[in-house]
Amino acid sequence: MNTLFLGIVIFLIVLAIFDLVVGVSNDAVNFLNSAIGAKVAKFRTIVLIAAIGVFAGASLSNGMMDVARHGIMTPMYFSFYDVMCVFLAVMVTDVILLDIFNTLGMPTSTTVSMVFELLGGAFAIAIVKIMSGATDANGVVLSLGDLLNTEKALSVILGIFLSVAIAFVLGTIVQWVARLVFSFTYRVNGYTTDVKGHLGSLLGSSLRIGIFAGIAVTSIVWFLLINGLKGSSIMTPELKQLINDNTWLILGGGFAVFSVLMTVLSALKAPVLKFVVLLGTFALAMAFAGNDLVNFVGVPLTGLESYCDFTSNGSGDASSFMMVSLMETAHTPTLYLVLAGVVMVLSLVFSKKAQNVVKTSVDLSRQDEGDEMFGSSAAARILVRTTQHTAAAIARFIPKRVGQWVDTRFNADSAKLPDGAAFDLIRAAVNLVLAGLLVAFGTSMKLPLSTTYVTFMVAMGSSLADRAWSRESAVFRITGVLSVIGGWFITAGAAFIMCYLITNLMFFGSFVAMVIAIAVAVALLVRSNVKYKGSQEATETDLLFRQLSRTQDKTERWQLLKMHVSHSTANQLKFASGCFDKVTGAFLHEEYSPLRQATHEIETARKQLKRQRRREIIGLRKIEPIIALEKNTWYFLANNSVEQMLYCLKRINDPCREHVGNNFLPAPSEFSAHFTDIDQRIQTIFRQTEFVLTPSTISDEKVAAIREQAEKLQRELSNHRKQVIDSMQKNSVNIESTIVYLNIIQESQQILSCLRHMLRGILKFCA
């Protein structure tokens, strides 16, 4: 039996290593977002600084391990068998949740999942014990309050809940104040400028930057290097007492020293704000590792300690040996923490996923318009309208001059961002300092806050205060925020319910259920990694849009926009060609599965077209206004023609799917033979169109030739349609299949008509 439990512990440790790699790859990018979004340094430099912070935070995170030991359950009433069921269920549930959320493309949180998995697993065992009438050493029947650390669990859950709201509110308030002080002025060589571009005095500019940087650096030093170290083993009781007795002296002295130092450095034209952002990156990375390490290794290390206790002091009966030892404070060997830190650092530096992960918070908080990752939801539309009405009502009570002055401080047109930057250094510093403070404060209180959502909500609050959400983008970004918060609730509920069920299966199914669960977890891990590798290739249109968003040259923007329109249109035509061939072939050969697949594929293509159209409209806004006005009509002619093709495909697919799905009589064989030739000619026209759809190859002669072929085939389809109708009147044919066939011919004519209009629009657009 000991061997079986040893195998479970080894599996827990292996999963811990996997969790460290995946967790850093997915979550740690949150503390890179601000530095990357503001373009303060090269990517390698930012990662190196973050890696140092991660290693330091992991090596000093011993105090947080108590959450996995006795933060949720009361282990003195749980046997060794009980806790192993809970710990294994927690890790297996974590793998299953990760796979499900990655498949659905929904955001999740390792902190939220770990807390609610522990709660669900412990709750399952607690119910079993209550049902069996378990008692304590004095014979008193145990209650749920005895078995679960309800007070601590409630404080942990409330801490996570409140941190999300507090992060958003503080991010909004602090950024609003910071923007009033600094405006969107361009900071370079120690100077600030006003909205008209006039340089301020060196003393006034340096003093403002120095005080701001002094507050930021003092906050970071206090909460991370002092408050964060209180739970570590290197802090002696005397040193802790000295810090407690001189809190305000340290804070005041630190603020004075750092403010003077930063003011002098700013006057010497040093990049003070870049230093603050990089220091904040280090601080948030350290806070992340110190807070989130327990999510990855807390349960496995507690399982290992439980196994060592059982083998040393147990009598071989896993169901009767109670885990009283877990009631003590964790004393995790420093070697384990250092090794965990090494794994996290290596994952951060070398993981492809960490380098390529989509930066949701940067996308939703960028200052200008760009590709919106989320669509529009009813809740977001209601919030936008309500907020607009509320803001208008409040504005009536604000003096006109005050409102005008505030508007000048929030004039984003005066901002001069580095090439490719999403926002300026002021917002980056606010994001990092606030997020680091909140996470570090939670760590010092031994509350495992969700680093993902604290960082995300601070960024959302600061972007809202910065008026980065325009009327054109607000509904999409609010939908994104609501989606992320909704993912939090789904994570919490799914983690609790799933771990509750899996714990019960393991408890009653014993080692057989445990082995099956381990096998399922391993299979999902392999599947998840294979699917990720196959889904990370950026399309050519994605790369073109990134270049279009980053370049400041309007001539280059126009060339990139033409290429983007050509590539996206060619991709849509390639899909339309393949879908047309699949649907018509499936109808003629009575294959239902391709028709069912086509229903989802057409809807996906429509959504993709809508996304590409929004990108290209943003591109039209970035080019010369005269060119945009001239090309606007032709762009929409081409785009609307492609959209109509997709509607034609839908109108072909729906009747075919209904006909074949109901097992009606097939179309006559002569129809199939004749339409095969038509399909091949349509495919040839599509291929020729794809070939000429580039600004460098498109020409009047090539477009005219393809349009002439399409028009000729349209006439032939019209004649064929008349022949089919005449045949229906003269011969006995199946009415249902013939009507569907006639619909295919008619929609094929319409597709060719749309293709001709699209070619005309693209030619005029790229001319």
Side-chain angles (χ1 to χ4, degrees):
M1 181 177 289
N2 284 4
T3 304
L4 293 174
F5 281 121
L6 178 60
I8 293 173
V9 171
I10 293 174
F11 177 72
L12 292 178
I13 294 174
V14 171
L15 278 186
I17 297 173
F18 170 80
D19 264 3
L20 281 171
V21 174
V22 174
V24 171
S25 299
N26 285 283
D27 294 352
V29 75
N30 290 296
F31 54 72
L32 299 176
N33 279 342
S34 292
I36 293 173
K39 293 289 182 181
V40 298
K42 294 181 179 180
F43 181 79
R44 289 177 299 176
T45 304
I46 296 171
V47 169
L48 177 62
I49 292 172
I52 298 172
V54 165
F55 183 79
S59 303
L60 301 171
S61 65
N62 192 44
M64 289 297 297
M65 295 300 167
D66 287 345
V67 176
R69 294 165 62 88
H70 52 257
I72 303 298
M73 60 183 175
T74 310
M76 62 183 294
Y77 298 125
F78 286 70
S79 67
F80 175 67
Y81 179 75
D82 295 336
V83 297
M84 292 308 291
C85 286
V86 172
F87 293 158
L88 183 57
V90 166
M91 299 304 288
V92 170
T93 302
D94 209 46
V95 171
I96 295 174
L97 275 179
L98 182 66
D99 181 74
I100 292 174
F101 277 85
N102 283 346
T103 302
L104 296 176
M106 295 184 64
T108 185
S109 166
T110 54
T111 304
V112 172
S113 58
M114 187 273 293
V115 169
F116 280 88
E117 285 159 4
L118 278 173
L119 188 60
F123 182 74
I125 300 297
I127 293 298
V128 171
K129 288 185 173 294
I130 292 173
M131 295 291 291
S132 62
T135 60
D136 61 11
N138 298 321
V140 178
V141 176
L142 295 174
S143 64
L144 189 64
D146 297 322
L147 294 165
L148 297 181
N149 190 347
T150 52
E151 183 178 350
K152 180 64 175 179
L154 183 62
S155 67
V156 168
I157 294 170
L158 285 177
I160 297 174
F161 264 116
L162 293 175
S163 68
V164 173
I166 292 172
F168 183 79
V169 173
L170 285 180
T172 303
I173 295 173
V174 174
Q175 180 60 33
W176 191 80
V177 173
R179 190 59 68 197
L180 281 182
V181 174
F182 288 99
S183 181
F184 280 98
T185 53
Y186 181 52
R187 284 153 292 278
V188 63
N189 296 333
Y191 290 94
T192 60
T193 59
D194 60 19
V195 293
K196 296 181 180 179
H198 299 146
L199 285 175
S201 66
L202 179 62
L203 178 61
S205 300
S206 300
L207 189 60
R208 281 194 291 173
I209 293 174
I211 293 175
F212 177 79
I215 295 173
V217 174
T218 303
S219 302
I220 292 170
V221 170
W222 172 253
F223 277 95
L224 290 184
L225 302 184
I226 298 177
N227 215 359
L229 290 174
K230 285 186 177 179
S232 67
S233 56
I234 65 173
M235 292 288 285
T236 62
E238 293 79 11
L239 186 55
K240 292 179 183 178
Q241 188 61 43
L242 179 65
I243 292 173
N244 290 332
D245 293 341
N246 298 277
T247 298
W248 292 108
L249 179 61
I250 295 173
L251 286 175
F255 169 70
V257 171
F258 287 123
S259 294
V260 171
L261 177 62
M262 295 301 163
T263 300
V264 172
L265 289 175
S266 179
L268 295 174
K269 302 180 181 180
V272 171
L273 291 178
K274 288 188 176 182
F275 169 76
V276 171
V277 172
L278 292 175
L279 181 62
T281 300
F282 168 84
L284 190 55
M286 183 175 173
F288 160 80
N291 189 274
D292 282 22
L293 184 64
V294 66
N295 304 336
F296 311 131
V297 303
V299 168
L301 289 181
T302 305
L304 175 61
E305 188 173 335
S306 301
Y307 174 78
C308 294
D309 185 30
F310 172 69
T311 54
S312 301
N313 305 313
S315 57
D317 186 1
S319 299
S320 62
F321 182 72
M322 310 308 288
M323 299 308 304
V324 179
S325 61
L326 296 184
M327 294 296 296
E328 300 174 0
T329 300
H331 295 287
T332 308
T334 305
L335 177 62
Y336 292 162
L337 298 176
V338 171
L339 290 176
V342 170
V343 173
M344 295 176 83
V345 168
L346 293 176
S347 301
L348 179 63
V349 174
F350 295 108
S351 172
K352 294 291 184 182
K353 187 181 292 186
Q355 297 178 27
N356 299 324
V357 68
V358 177
K359 301 171 183 64
T360 304
S361 61
V362 167
D363 185 76
L364 290 172
S365 61
R366 66 181 180 276
Q367 192 62 44
D368 58 353
E369 289 185 288
D371 188 20
E372 300 297 341
M373 296 176 59
F374 298 90
S376 171
S377 65
R381 290 192 291 270
I382 292 172
L383 278 173
V384 170
R385 284 196 297 269
T386 303
T387 304
Q388 287 174 352
H389 295 326
T390 304
I394 295 174
R396 297 192 192 102
F397 299 97
I398 298 176
K400 188 175 181 180
R401 289 188 177 180
V402 173
Q404 291 174 344
W405 179 80
V406 171
D407 288 339
T408 61
R409 310 304 292 174
F410 286 86
N411 181 15
D413 294 335
S414 63
K416 296 182 181 179
L417 303 178
D419 187 21
F423 40 79
D424 65 358
L425 293 171
I426 293 295
R427 175 129 64 97
V430 169
N431 288 346
L432 287 166
V433 171
L434 271 182
L437 293 183
L438 287 171
V439 176
F441 181 74
T443 303
S444 67
M445 299 294 292
K446 298 187 179 180
L447 295 174
L449 304 183
S450 172
T451 309
T452 301
Y453 292 123
V454 167
T455 308
F456 178 81
M457 294 308 291
V458 167
M460 292 304 98
S462 64
S463 63
L464 176 63
D466 248 359
R467 301 184 183 181
W469 299 1
S470 66
R471 293 190 65 165
E472 285 76 16
S473 63
V475 67
F476 303 111
R477 300 194 186 185
I478 292 175
T479 298
V481 174
L482 294 177
S483 299
V484 172
I485 296 175
W488 187 94
F489 287 104
I490 294 173
T491 301
F496 180 87
I497 295 172
M498 197 176 296
C499 194
Y500 173 84
L501 296 175
I502 293 176
T503 302
N504 276 311
L505 288 174
M506 291 182 179
F507 183 84
F508 294 107
S510 191
F511 290 107
V512 175
M514 293 180 182
V515 171
I516 294 174
I518 290 174
V520 170
V522 171
L524 289 176
L525 287 177
V526 174
R527 174 192 166 197
S528 180
N529 280 284
V530 170
K531 287 183 69 176
Y532 174 79
K533 290 179 181 178
S535 63
Q536 289 302 303
E537 297 181 2
T539 65
E540 193 163 1
T541 52
D542 292 334
L543 298 176
L544 284 171
F545 184 73
R546 291 175 192 170
Q547 296 175 34
L548 175 62
S549 301
R550 292 171 181 171
T551 184
Q552 302 297 322
D553 187 343
K554 291 191 176 183
T555 303
E556 184 181 1
R557 284 176 179 173
W558 169 230
Q559 297 302 322
L560 290 170
L561 178 60
K562 289 195 292 185
M563 292 175 63
H564 190 282
V565 171
S566 298
H567 281 294
S568 62
T569 304
N571 290 337
Q572 289 289 345
L573 289 180
K574 187 175 182 179
F575 165 78
S577 171
C579 186
F580 179 83
D581 185 58
K582 177 198 289 189
V583 170
T584 55
F587 168 71
L588 296 173
H589 297 93
E590 295 188 275
E591 298 174 350
Y592 181 73
S593 180
L595 296 171
R596 186 181 65 245
Q597 294 172 4
T599 302
H600 302 292
E601 291 171 356
I602 293 170
E603 186 61 31
T604 301
R606 288 173 58 192
K607 292 179 180 177
Q608 181 67 17
L609 178 63
K610 184 178 180 180
R611 181 187 178 204
Q612 298 293 0
R613 179 167 56 195
R614 173 165 178 79
R615 284 180 168 186
E616 288 155 3
I617 291 174
I618 291 172
L620 282 170
R621 293 174 182 168
K622 292 178 178 290
I623 64 175
E624 290 291 346
I626 296 178
I627 298 178
L629 288 173
E630 178 187 347
K631 302 298 184 180
N632 179 68
T633 301
W634 302 115
Y635 167 74
F636 281 104
L637 173 63
N639 190 273
N640 292 340
S641 299
V642 174
E643 187 174 23
Q644 285 303 313
M645 286 186 202
L646 297 180
Y647 280 111
C648 290
L649 290 172
K650 178 177 173 58
R651 291 195 294 267
I652 293 175
N653 182 69
D654 289 350
C656 291
R657 181 180 179 183
E658 182 181 1
H659 186 89
V660 176
N662 289 328
N663 296 306
F664 292 154
L665 289 174
S669 58
E670 59 267 22
F671 290 176
S672 177
H674 190 89
F675 195 81
T676 299
D677 177 63
I678 294 174
D679 180 45
Q680 290 176 353
R681 293 174 63 184
I682 291 176
Q683 297 300 319
T684 300
I685 292 174
F686 268 116
R687 285 193 294 270
Q688 291 175 346
T689 305
E690 291 175 40
F691 178 74
V692 302
L693 280 186
T694 58
S696 59
T697 59
I698 196 168
S699 65
D700 291 332
E701 295 77 12
K702 293 178 181 178
V703 168
I706 297 174
R707 294 185 72 213
E708 185 177 346
Q709 290 183 53
E711 187 177 8
K712 180 181 178 182
L713 185 54
Q714 275 185 275
R715 290 194 297 267
E716 293 182 18
L717 283 169
S718 180
N719 294 332
H720 178 54
R721 185 171 183 272
K722 291 177 182 178
Q723 293 172 1
V724 173
I725 293 174
D726 292 341
S727 176
M728 289 176 62
Q729 295 173 347
K730 297 176 182 178
N731 304 314
S732 177
V733 296
N734 179 263
I735 298 297
E736 287 80 5
S737 62
T738 305
I739 289 175
V740 176
Y741 182 70
L742 287 171
N743 177 69
I744 292 176
I745 296 175
Q746 183 177 344
E747 295 299 337
S748 299
Q749 289 180 270
Q750 185 62 32
I751 286 176
L752 290 170
S753 177
C754 292
L755 184 69
R756 293 173 59 235
H757 288 303
M758 183 275 299
L759 277 167
R760 182 167 177 259
I762 288 291
L763 178 63
K764 295 290 187 179
F765 181 80
C766 294

